[in-house]
Amino acid sequence: MKTKCVYVLVSNERDSYYEQMLCSVYSLKLHNPQSTVLIVVDDGTAQSLAGKRSEIRRYVSDIVSIDVPNEYTQMQKSRYLKTNLRKFIEGDFLFIDTDTIIHSNLDEIDNFDFEITAVPDAHVNIGQHKVKKRIYEWAKIGEWEVREDKPYFNSGVMYVKDTPMTHCFYEKWYYYWSKNYKKGLFKDQSSLAKADESMGYVIKEMNAVWNCQFIENGLKYMQDAKILHYYASRSKSPYLFGQKNYYSSIKENGKISEEISYMLKNPTLAFLDDCVIMTGSEKELLTNIFRRVFSQDYPRTYKIIHKIKHPFS
């Protein structure tokens, strides 16, 4: 595999991002032992990769430390590195989010022709997206046109060639992210959509197996998935690697336990015992019932929660 695999990490001892990335890189090396793995970090994260947080150095080829503006929060630093990534890395690369498990060999990526590719968010076009209303809100702030027959690309896995076009694309991505940041919108995918629009829609759709979002409509791709994306940002997850307490042994011992190693070798087994599949209509029904009951019994609290979840509505 000639294509570099690249991660972005902004982390400290209090969060679980390092442990997530260690598991992802471990699984990557299981299936791709000769792969080149790079981690792009801020200075603070680089200094923290010692002691119990040094195990990752066994699996990566290089740790690239970047000077990031101090005024940024941890999340903003991560977005800064992600949207500027093209100028930090030489050669073609496959960007992979930390909340992923690699499920198979990735050698096929070397044969990709497109300059920049990604998988649709939730594996659907915007018109079918469950948060379509919020995408419209983000687009209004980011000043881009919503096209319901087009995807809202997920930035968790992206293949990027080293070409003048992709360098220009990333310059625009960072520019629009920094512009949205000043408006209070920190999401990188909205500015990704704006950059794509400004370049004439250059992002090509990657096969769903490269970013199988099995929690969001991707279950049918799971058997053939190359990369499993489990969405660590969810407060509750049926997937073991999506639960922060699952990484406690790594935090304590600095190494991957036998139990976690087994699950990384068999990632489709890493679900809670009490776990059911729900259709979209069933979920919508339960959501509507909850919304109706909660808004009637606790109207003030409901309005506060709604405002937090939809700050731009």
Side-chain angles (χ1 to χ4, degrees):
M1 180 178 175
K2 299 177 181 178
T3 304
K4 299 180 177 76
C5 295
V6 181
Y7 292 80
V8 165
L9 179 68
V10 177
S11 173
N12 57 46
E13 292 80 357
R14 296 183 297 277
D15 59 56
S16 301
Y17 299 125
Y18 166 79
E19 289 78 14
Q20 290 171 13
M21 187 194 65
L22 178 60
C23 288
S24 183
V25 173
Y26 182 93
S27 65
L28 173 63
K29 284 294 188 177
L30 282 176
H31 301 286
N32 306 269
Q34 303 304 318
S35 59
T36 298
V37 183
L38 305 177
I39 302 174
V40 178
V41 301
D42 64 301
D43 292 339
T45 300
Q47 294 174 13
S48 77
L49 300 180
K52 292 182 179 180
R53 287 165 61 89
S54 63
E55 178 73 0
I56 190 64
R57 296 179 182 275
R58 293 181 53 196
Y59 305 104
V60 302
S61 306
D62 194 15
I63 297 174
V64 182
S65 182
I66 304 297
D67 185 20
V68 179
N70 290 327
E71 65 270 19
Y72 283 168
T73 65
Q74 191 171 358
M75 180 272 289
Q76 292 160 4
K77 288 179 179 180
S78 176
R79 298 294 185 270
Y80 174 89
L81 293 175
K82 188 173 183 178
T83 58
N84 278 296
L85 193 58
R86 179 65 279 177
K87 69 180 182 181
F88 301 145
I89 304 296
E90 292 184 3
D92 304 342
F93 67 77
L94 178 67
F95 169 77
I96 306 173
D97 257 348
T98 59
D99 56 346
T100 56
I101 303 297
I102 312 307
H103 194 218
S104 69
N105 183 275
L106 305 180
D107 283 353
E108 185 185 336
I109 199 74
D110 289 341
N111 300 323
F112 275 30
D113 293 326
F114 295 128
E115 292 180 84
I116 183 167
T117 66
V119 173
D121 193 60
H123 299 289
V124 295
N125 288 334
I126 294 177
Q128 301 169 286
H129 207 295
K130 71 173 186 177
V131 297
K132 178 174 70 172
K133 180 180 177 181
R134 297 177 71 182
I135 292 175
Y136 269 97
E137 294 170 359
W138 300 330
K140 184 177 180 180
I141 297 166
E143 301 176 351
W144 53 276
E145 179 186 2
V146 174
R147 298 170 63 177
E148 294 198 3
D149 62 334
K150 298 294 183 182
Y152 179 65
F153 283 109
N154 185 282
S155 62
V157 178
M158 295 179 64
Y159 171 73
V160 185
K161 283 189 178 297
D162 192 346
T163 67
M165 187 277 281
T166 60
H167 280 266
C168 180
F169 183 94
Y170 269 76
E171 288 175 4
K172 288 182 179 291
W173 189 8
Y174 170 67
Y175 170 76
Y176 290 122
W177 176 83
S178 61
K179 188 175 179 180
N180 288 341
Y181 158 74
K182 295 175 183 177
K183 299 178 183 179
L185 180 61
F186 306 130
K187 295 181 176 297
D188 62 276
Q189 287 182 181
S190 180
S191 50
L192 178 73
K194 174 62 176 179
D196 191 32
E197 179 188 72
S198 72
M199 296 283 289
Y201 301 102
V202 294
I203 300 178
K204 304 305 179 182
E205 187 170 331
M206 187 188 292
N207 190 303
V209 299
W210 287 93
N211 183 2
C212 175
Q213 304 150 65
F214 56 90
I215 303 298
E216 292 287 353
N217 307 321
L219 194 59
K220 60 185 175 183
Y221 306 114
M222 196 167 188
Q223 180 177 350
D224 299 318
K226 293 182 177 296
I227 301 176
L228 300 171
H229 191 177
Y230 55 83
Y231 288 4
S233 59
R234 284 176 171 267
S235 56
K236 293 184 179 180
S237 174
Y239 198 59
L240 294 177
F241 289 102
Q243 301 188 357
K244 294 180 180 179
N245 60 0
Y246 197 65
Y247 301 100
S248 58
S249 67
I250 300 178
K251 278 186 174 295
E252 182 178 351
N253 303 312
K255 300 187 183 294
I256 292 176
S257 66
E258 291 185 9
E259 175 193 0
I260 293 179
S261 176
Y262 176 79
M263 287 301 177
L264 291 172
K265 294 173 183 176
N266 304 277
T268 58
L269 302 179
F271 286 91
L272 294 172
D273 292 334
D274 184 12
C275 182
V276 297
I277 296 176
M278 185 180 297
T279 65
S281 58
E282 290 173 320
K283 182 178 180 181
E284 184 178 2
L285 176 62
L286 289 176
T287 300
N288 288 336
I289 292 174
F290 173 80
R291 184 183 295 116
R292 189 179 304 115
V293 172
F294 200 79
S295 62
Q296 291 174 354
D297 293 350
Y298 307 96
R300 294 182 64 184
T301 304
Y302 176 77
K303 288 181 180 179
I304 294 173
I305 293 175
H306 180 78
K307 190 63 179 177
I308 292 173
K309 294 185 68 176
H310 306 276
F312 304 105
S313 60

